[in-house]
Amino acid sequence: MFILKKKPLIMGILNITDDSFSDGGKFLKLNKAIKHAHKMVEAGADIIDIGGESSRPFSKRITEEEEIKRVLPVISALVKENFPLPISIDTSKVAVAKRALDEGVNIINDITALKDKEMAKIVASYDVYIVLMHMLGDPTNMQLSPSYSDVVKEIKEFLSERIEFALQNKIKKDKIIIDPGIGFGKNREHNFSILKGIKEFKKLECPILLGCSKKTFIRECLGDGKAIDVLLPEVELGSQIVNFYCALQGADIIRVHNVENSKNTLKFFDKLA
């Protein structure tokens, strides 16, 4: 479906939500969502990741019915027009995943790493890609007091166990993608430790997805400990610096808000790596 290269693939974010930290509410209307999807294609995206429920810290959970209502019209419209890129659905709800798969989605991006065993069965039966992400707790409590003895070691062990679980449930190894979960139950120093430890995660022999775009640890770094406004231009610059570092360390997929800037960042990676 997609071919991994030396240069990371770009996964463009399409949030059909009202409360996402960077672009909540911008693409709730179908025509705006479709237009943004095409804008990301033109900018050079390799994958589009569609989500209907915000997973930012302290975000509220929504029902599966509401999530389906948000994402399904967008997915259906894109598939019917023969959208040129693989489509990922960012969900941990089995009913949402199944409806999206029936429409033609290619990837399940599950922030709970198959916590629901039924999700594993569905992924195996549809023979699609699965992103297994590490998260400490859940979005309602993950940032209260995240603590680790050795953050890289513990996340690596978790991902190794989830890979084994996926394999035991007949998901093929070449369909598994791992995500250390930057910002999901981690403080600023945890996140930087994860970035420095990317090569450790490579030892798990699965493609690595990293989503750092505009996250709090970047904004805190720029604000000397206090998170600056997500809309400030220096936050986008900081995101691209981190994306470049991820590429140098061997990330296979970077999940981003600004596809055009990310594509330009990776042009330098081509020349300097």
Side-chain angles (χ1 to χ4, degrees):
M1 185 193 65
F2 56 80
I3 301 172
L4 295 174
K5 306 173 183 178
K6 179 182 177 183
K7 181 171 65 176
L9 301 177
I10 296 174
M11 174 184 272
I13 300 168
L14 180 52
N15 286 324
I16 319 298
T17 62
D18 58 1
D19 60 344
S20 291
F21 76 95
S22 178
D23 53 8
K26 290 179 69 175
F27 309 115
L28 279 171
K29 292 185 177 181
L30 180 60
N31 63 330
K32 289 186 177 181
I34 299 300
K35 184 177 180 179
H36 189 59
H38 284 288
K39 180 180 178 181
M40 288 192 283
V41 173
E42 293 168 5
D46 300 290
I47 306 165
I48 300 296
D49 189 41
I50 298 175
E53 179 178 57
S54 173
S55 54
R56 65 173 176 78
F58 311 112
S59 56
K60 295 180 180 179
R61 304 298 86 201
I62 63 172
T63 65
E64 60 186 27
E65 291 80 8
E66 176 62 25
E67 194 172 337
I68 289 169
K69 180 181 176 182
R70 291 179 181 183
V71 301
L72 209 65
V74 179
I75 294 169
S76 179
L78 292 175
V79 171
K80 285 178 181 177
E81 63 178 41
N82 294 314
F83 192 67
L85 301 182
I87 299 174
S88 167
I89 178 68
D90 180 358
T91 189
S92 56
K93 297 184 177 73
V94 172
V96 178
K98 190 173 187 312
R99 291 290 298 274
L101 288 167
D102 285 339
E103 289 293 330
V105 158
N106 315 101
I107 307 166
I108 303 296
N109 185 3
D110 183 3
I111 64 172
T112 69
L114 302 176
K115 183 178 180 180
D116 189 330
K117 294 179 180 180
E118 289 301 312
M119 185 73 88
K121 294 178 182 178
I122 287 175
V123 171
S125 65
Y126 282 81
D127 193 26
V128 292
Y129 290 84
I130 176 69
V131 179
L132 303 175
M133 195 194 80
H134 175 273
M135 174 172 54
L136 192 66
D138 61 55
T140 65
N141 59 30
M142 62 187 182
Q143 291 304 111
L144 291 177
S145 296
S147 177
Y148 302 85
S149 296
D150 184 328
V151 65
V152 172
K153 180 175 181 287
E154 290 173 44
I155 293 173
K156 184 180 174 186
E157 289 174 350
F158 170 85
L159 292 173
S160 178
E161 185 275 326
R162 298 321 290 166
I163 291 168
E164 184 58 32
F165 174 80
L167 294 174
Q168 289 173 356
N169 282 273
K170 301 181 180 180
I171 296 172
K172 297 174 184 175
K173 181 70 179 287
D174 64 1
K175 293 295 176 70
I176 299 173
I177 300 164
I178 56 173
D179 179 355
I182 292 285
F184 285 81
K186 290 94 178 171
N187 63 28
R188 181 172 39 153
E189 295 311 313
H190 294 148
N191 289 320
F192 281 114
S193 293
I194 291 167
L195 293 176
K196 293 174 187 176
I198 290 172
K199 288 189 182 344
E200 276 299 306
F201 300 116
K202 296 289 284 186
K203 294 176 182 178
L204 296 174
E205 300 182 332
C206 289
I208 298 175
L209 184 155
L210 286 162
C212 303
S213 181
K214 301 186 180 183
K215 288 194 172 175
T216 300
F217 82 102
I218 294 173
R219 293 154 53 208
E220 286 180 342
C221 184
L222 293 168
D224 295 324
K226 184 177 180 180
I228 63 173
D229 192 300
V230 69
L231 298 177
L232 289 172
E234 51 263 48
V235 175
E236 176 61 24
L237 175 60
S239 297
Q240 296 309 327
I241 292 170
V242 173
N243 284 340
F244 187 82
Y245 180 81
C246 291
L248 285 176
Q249 296 303 305
D252 298 287
I253 304 169
I254 55 172
R255 186 175 181 271
V256 306
H257 293 93
N258 192 313
V259 171
E260 183 177 9
N261 285 352
S262 302
K263 192 75 173 181
N264 288 332
T265 293
L266 294 182
K267 287 179 182 178
F268 289 96
F269 175 78
D270 271 346
K271 301 295 184 183
L272 296 171

